[in-house]
Each structure stands twice: as structure tokens, then as C-alpha cells.
Amino acid sequence: MRDIATPTPATRHGAMLEIHGLTAGYGSRPVLRNLHAKALPGATLTALLGPNGSGKSTLLKTLAGLNPLQGGTLRLDGTDIAHLPPAQRAEHAMYMPQALPKGVHMTVLESVLVAARSGRQGQTGAARMNEAMRVLTALGIGALASRYLDELSGGQKQLASLAQALVRRPRLLLLDEPLSALDLNYQFHVMDVLRRQTALHGLITVVVLHDLNIALRHADHALLLHGGALLAEGPPREVVTPATLRRAYGVQARVERCPQGQPQVHVDGLA
């Protein structure tokens, strides 16, 4: 697998995201209430887990500034990012939604170059082109560079969107179900690329995942939400347990190691 880029002098491994007393929702209806989490350090890929309606997307959008903070503080490297103007906040955080906007008629390469221009100030046109092609090649979609976004399948669009996010190399990378339209090959491939780039460039990467086995295998850290509150946090193997699965998902499950030593979730029935 080719790497996306060589390390830069400022790898930002000292980056830190702090969440204290976060309350957020829609209108007068809070979804997340007084949520506290341990500081998330740079070079860490965090899986955001929980059943439908637990507040995962709300948390991700609030971190990105797309949903207003109703209470609490969000600090990135000591800076209060909750009250930064949108343009300034976008310099630090990159949010990838579940689907690209419809009707965008530009090529995959053009879309990645636009993202590179907004996120990599001072870079020459040739350097941006090389960086964009490295990203696309690393994700396995270099052959799609000249294809138009509105011609792609759902999975291909997700990969193009991920390329736009990675090429900017933000301090805070927020991905909402980036694997939902991908087959098994690309799911493994994308998570491997994400983990490599998170470690290489000191990113704080937060990924909404529904597949607990993928979280167990690829994530460094996990946050498990339930009912708008944080049920558990820590290394995935300590967060994903029979007790937390029963409480969060209402299932009777086992977490056992496969012959290769990887933990896997087996659901036996409803709790």
C-alpha cells in the first residue's frame, strides 16, 4: 500500500481535544446532556459507537461546528473552538458527512484539488496535484480521477469524499459512517489508511462506526454513547464488553478472540 504523504516537521502529536459538559441538540430539544470525556490526544483514532439515536451524529456535527453548542466547552489544543467563526473553525476541523451533496458536477481530482487549496495554504499547484494523486492512489481510486462525482456509485463517492478530507490534513478529522457504502475489501483498506495517516500526521480522528468488530480491530480509543450520555470510554477492548453491549444495545453477546487473536463480538440473542 502506498502512503498518502511523507511526514511533515509539525506532526502535531501533542494535539488534544477536550470535551467538558457538552450539551447539544436541535432547537429546544437536547440530544446530548452534560457530556464529559477524557481528552483525546493526537495520533489517535477514536471510534464513536452507540445504537441508533444515541447522539453520535449530533456529537460529530457539534464538534464540527455544524450544530450549535448549547452548553459546555470544546477545546482544541487549549483553544475554545466552539465560538470560532465558521471559516476559522474549518481551518482546524474537517467533517465528512455520510453522503456528498447531490448535483456536484466536477471531477474527482478537481474536488480533491479544491479541498487541498482550502486546507494547504502556500503549497504550489504542482505540489497540490501530486498530493491529490497520492491520496487517490492510496485509497485505491486513482483510476477515478477524471470521472465526474455525479457519475460515481455510492461507495465511490464516499471514497472521493474521504480523499477530500484527508488531503487537507486537518488537526481534527470527523467522519460520519465512512464505511456504510463500502464492500469488505474497501472497509478494511480505508480503516488501515485512516489509522496510518492519523498516526503519521498526529491527527485527532473521530469515526462513527456501527461495526463493533471493525472498531475492535482498527481503533485506538472508543466512546460508547447511549441515550445522549457517555456510557463507556477507553481502549475498544475495555469499552466493548458483554455488560456494555447488554446495556447499550439490549443484546446478549460474547466477546471472544479468533484464532488470530483478534477480539470479535458474537450476539446470541436479545437481553
Side-chain angles (χ1 to χ4, degrees):
M1 178 187 300
R2 289 187 59 184
D3 218 336
I4 290 180
T6 54
T8 58
T11 55
R12 299 174 294 183
H13 287 186
M16 193 77 69
L17 174 67
E18 299 171 88
I19 303 171
H20 296 293
L22 185 148
T23 298
Y26 306 94
S28 60
R29 182 178 65 87
V31 176
L32 301 168
R33 299 174 180 84
N34 197 31
L35 189 149
H36 295 271
K38 295 177 182 177
L40 302 181
T44 299
L45 191 156
T46 296
L48 188 53
L49 310 173
N52 294 334
S54 59
K56 300 185 299 298
S57 292
T58 299
L59 176 56
L60 213 65
K61 290 178 181 178
T62 304
L63 294 176
L66 301 176
N67 198 51
L69 185 69
Q70 297 176 353
T73 59
L74 293 174
R75 295 188 180 276
L76 183 61
D77 301 344
T79 299
D80 181 358
I81 61 172
H83 300 99
L84 290 178
Q88 191 174 351
R89 181 115 165 218
E91 294 176 2
H92 305 295
M94 178 67 190
Y95 170 75
M96 175 184 157
Q98 295 181 26
L100 283 172
K102 295 182 180 180
V104 179
H105 190 68
M106 64 172 60
T107 68
V108 170
L109 179 58
E110 287 171 343
S111 72
V112 177
L113 287 173
V114 168
R117 281 196 294 271
S118 63
R120 309 292 296 279
Q121 301 298 325
Q123 202 176 43
T124 66
R128 282 196 295 268
M129 176 68 75
N130 290 336
E131 180 83 351
M133 286 308 303
R134 277 195 293 268
V135 170
L136 294 173
T137 300
L139 289 173
I141 55 171
L144 300 179
S146 61
R147 294 275 301 277
Y148 284 93
L149 292 172
D150 52 9
E151 298 175 345
L152 303 181
S153 68
Q156 290 170 334
K157 288 179 181 178
Q158 274 193 313
L159 291 168
S161 182
L162 182 58
Q164 294 167 30
L166 285 173
V167 77
R168 290 185 56 180
R169 210 180 299 164
R171 293 158 71 193
L172 178 59
L173 180 59
L174 306 165
L175 309 174
D176 197 351
E177 297 189 47
L179 310 181
S180 61
L182 303 181
D183 61 30
L184 289 175
N185 181 293
Y186 270 113
Q187 287 180 13
F188 188 96
H189 183 71
V190 164
M191 290 304 298
D192 191 50
V193 170
L194 282 177
R195 188 166 188 176
R196 285 168 172 259
Q197 292 305 295
T198 296
L200 181 64
H201 300 297
L203 309 181
I204 301 169
T205 301
V206 183
V207 186
V208 173
L209 294 173
H210 278 292
D211 192 319
L212 300 176
N213 289 323
I214 288 178
L216 285 166
R217 185 180 185 96
H218 294 280
D220 306 302
H221 191 76
L223 301 176
L224 175 59
L225 298 182
H226 176 61
L230 185 62
L231 180 61
E233 63 177 315
R237 298 181 187 191
E238 297 177 9
V239 169
V240 180
T241 67
T244 58
L245 293 175
R246 184 183 307 111
R247 185 172 173 187
Y249 295 94
V251 296
Q252 192 72 33
R254 294 167 285 120
V255 182
E256 299 179 349
R257 294 185 181 275
C258 71
Q260 285 73 38
Q262 292 290 338
Q264 293 183 332
V265 174
H266 300 272
V267 177
D268 296 317
L270 300 179

